[in-house]
Amino acid sequence: MEISYQIKYLKKRFPLRISRGTRDGQHNLFIQVTDNGLTGLGETSPGASEGAATAELAQESLVKFLANPHDLNAIFSTYDKAIEAKVAPCALAALDMALWDLKAKKARMPLYQMLGYKKPSKATSITIGIMSPEEAKERLPLILEQDGIRTLKVKLGNPAGIEADKAMYNEVLNYHKKYPIAIRVDANGGWSAKDAKHMMGWLAQRNCDYVEQPLKEGEEEDLPYLYKNRPLPIFLDESCRFASNIPNWAHTVDGVNMKLMKCGGITGALRIIATANAFGLKTMIGCMGESSISIAAGVAVSGALDHIDLDSHLNLNPDPCTGAPLVDEVITPLEIAGHGGQFRTDL
């Protein structure tokens, strides 16, 4: 197989602010794996907590791993060897999704069908980053009125404290009076256990569906405190990177959020789905600063999940790729061989 790399800058339409900082764009690594005239595509959205802080470091991680002979047709074996070799998970995600894309193209099947999943039917949530009430008042009409979105994921955990969180959330609630919107909250580990307990009670009275990652990664010992008599379901994100993490916290949460950049791609996601199902947990999929290529790979497994948060490509200006269109609020796979993600030819 022939492997090539390229790095592209992805600029966000709106900067995204979470509890850990603000980002208005980034350089992503794209990988192409070619065999017998067919090419599989993959993407890395780099991050220090995902093993490679830059696209260049992600590429170095892959080049080093691939310097040794590997049977890339054996995807599960390749994944396990890469994990053992400590390849950055976000870098492995690009290789893994490219290999699955290639395998589905060889099979002449859409990837979601080859994996045995149904076509996704659940609406994706659209993420609203941390912002002031004034900013939210300006941003929300563009999403709810112009784009016709009805499911929001609201980022809380404002460094300014929970009163700032409440002020922003109240602005979102004003739109709940106008539109039948679903609201979810992601604190990105921005709350203390005490504040998380308080906020979950407060949010439960204000049309919130669930809370994601209320505590900082590494503070999971406080999860039983939150889980007992919880007013809202709790989902883990950063605290659940791989399927092997799930047994540690399964008795203290209601669900897990997988991200391809955290778990190393589709192979890691398949294992998270199976393990979460075995423990009776709900599942969701999220994303980082990814284009349509990585989102298309995520869509391939989303038909098996309870909640979908695959919207990062919708906030790019422009998205250099295609293949994960929003159709009636659902990120929908294309009915072509592979995961469907492709580079645009008009840029």
Side-chain angles (χ1 to χ4, degrees):
M1 294 185 184
E2 297 179 2
I3 299 176
S4 62
Y5 308 89
Q6 58 180 306
I7 295 174
K8 293 178 177 286
Y9 183 73
L10 275 58
K11 179 176 175 56
K12 294 186 184 297
R13 178 185 174 200
F14 298 114
L16 179 64
R17 184 184 179 198
I18 64 174
S19 63
R20 299 188 299 271
T22 303
R23 178 172 285 186
D24 59 8
Q26 68 208 47
H27 287 90
N28 280 12
L29 172 69
F30 294 85
I31 180 173
Q32 300 181 73
V33 180
T34 301
D35 188 35
N36 292 323
L38 295 173
T39 298
L41 300 177
E43 177 183 1
T44 288
S45 178
S49 60
E50 285 68 49
T54 67
E56 290 79 7
L57 289 173
Q59 182 172 335
E60 288 178 16
S61 183
L62 286 176
V63 169
K64 181 179 179 181
F65 172 69
L66 294 170
N68 298 316
H70 296 287
D71 180 7
L72 298 182
N73 288 300
I75 299 179
F76 285 97
S77 175
T78 298
Y79 178 92
D80 289 336
K81 290 177 180 177
I83 292 294
E84 184 179 352
K86 300 189 184 305
V87 174
C90 61
L92 175 55
L95 175 63
D96 186 80
M97 71 179 74
L99 294 178
W100 279 109
D101 186 33
L102 181 59
K103 184 176 283 289
K105 285 175 178 174
K106 289 179 178 179
R108 300 180 181 179
M109 296 177 67
L111 179 56
Y112 81 91
Q113 288 185 2
M114 193 185 78
L115 293 173
Y117 292 132
K118 63 183 180 180
K119 196 169 186 176
S121 60
K122 295 183 174 68
T124 185
S125 59
I126 300 298
T127 300
I128 306 296
I130 292 174
M131 60 186 70
S132 69
E134 293 73 24
E135 291 171 317
K137 190 173 184 178
E138 179 181 346
R139 185 79 51 81
L140 285 167
L142 299 177
I143 297 170
L144 299 174
E145 297 176 15
Q146 178 177 310
D147 296 341
I149 298 299
R150 295 293 178 267
T151 306
L152 298 180
K153 177 186 277 192
V154 180
K155 295 284 190 178
L156 298 183
N158 194 319
I162 59 174
E163 293 307 315
D165 282 340
K166 290 179 179 180
M168 177 190 164
Y169 190 88
N170 278 329
E171 190 60 45
V172 175
L173 275 182
N174 288 334
Y175 272 84
H176 190 276
K177 300 172 184 176
K178 301 179 183 179
Y179 307 102
I181 59 176
I183 309 173
R184 294 84 186 262
V185 161
D186 182 4
N188 280 117
W191 292 331
S192 66
K194 179 180 177 181
D195 284 348
K197 188 82 168 180
H198 172 80
M199 286 300 296
M200 287 175 63
W202 187 85
L203 290 166
Q205 299 174 16
R206 291 165 175 81
N207 301 104
C208 180
D209 292 341
Y210 59 78
V211 169
E212 183 183 339
Q213 196 64 35
L215 303 175
K216 186 183 299 184
E217 183 180 5
E219 298 180 356
E220 292 84 6
E221 69 276 3
D222 286 324
L223 283 173
Y225 165 72
L226 293 185
Y227 186 72
K228 184 179 180 181
N229 300 320
R230 64 203 178 285
L232 288 173
I234 300 172
F235 279 74
L236 289 187
D237 183 359
E238 289 85 357
S239 294
C240 179
R241 296 180 176 275
F242 300 97
S244 57
N245 300 134
I246 293 176
N248 297 329
W249 319 121
H251 61 294
T252 59
V253 297
D254 299 280
V256 295
N257 179 17
M258 68 202 75
K259 289 180 180 172
L260 300 188
M261 298 303 133
K262 290 189 306 163
C263 68
I266 291 171
T267 300
L270 295 176
R271 292 176 175 177
I272 288 176
I273 293 169
T275 306
N277 288 343
F279 279 94
L281 298 177
K282 297 288 188 179
T283 53
M284 65 181 295
I285 188 167
C287 55
M288 297 173 63
E290 303 158 34
S291 79
S292 286
I293 285 180
S294 182
I295 296 299
V299 169
V301 303
S302 66
L305 308 179
D306 297 293
H307 300 289
I308 314 298
D309 182 25
L310 294 174
D311 67 326
S312 61
H313 62 313
L314 303 176
N315 190 35
L316 295 179
N317 184 27
D319 183 352
C321 309
T322 64
L326 181 68
V327 180
D328 295 329
E329 298 188 78
V330 178
I331 302 298
T332 305
L334 300 181
E335 295 297 328
I336 61 176
H339 56 48
Q342 306 171 58
F343 291 114
R344 286 175 56 176
T345 59
D346 59 340
L347 292 177

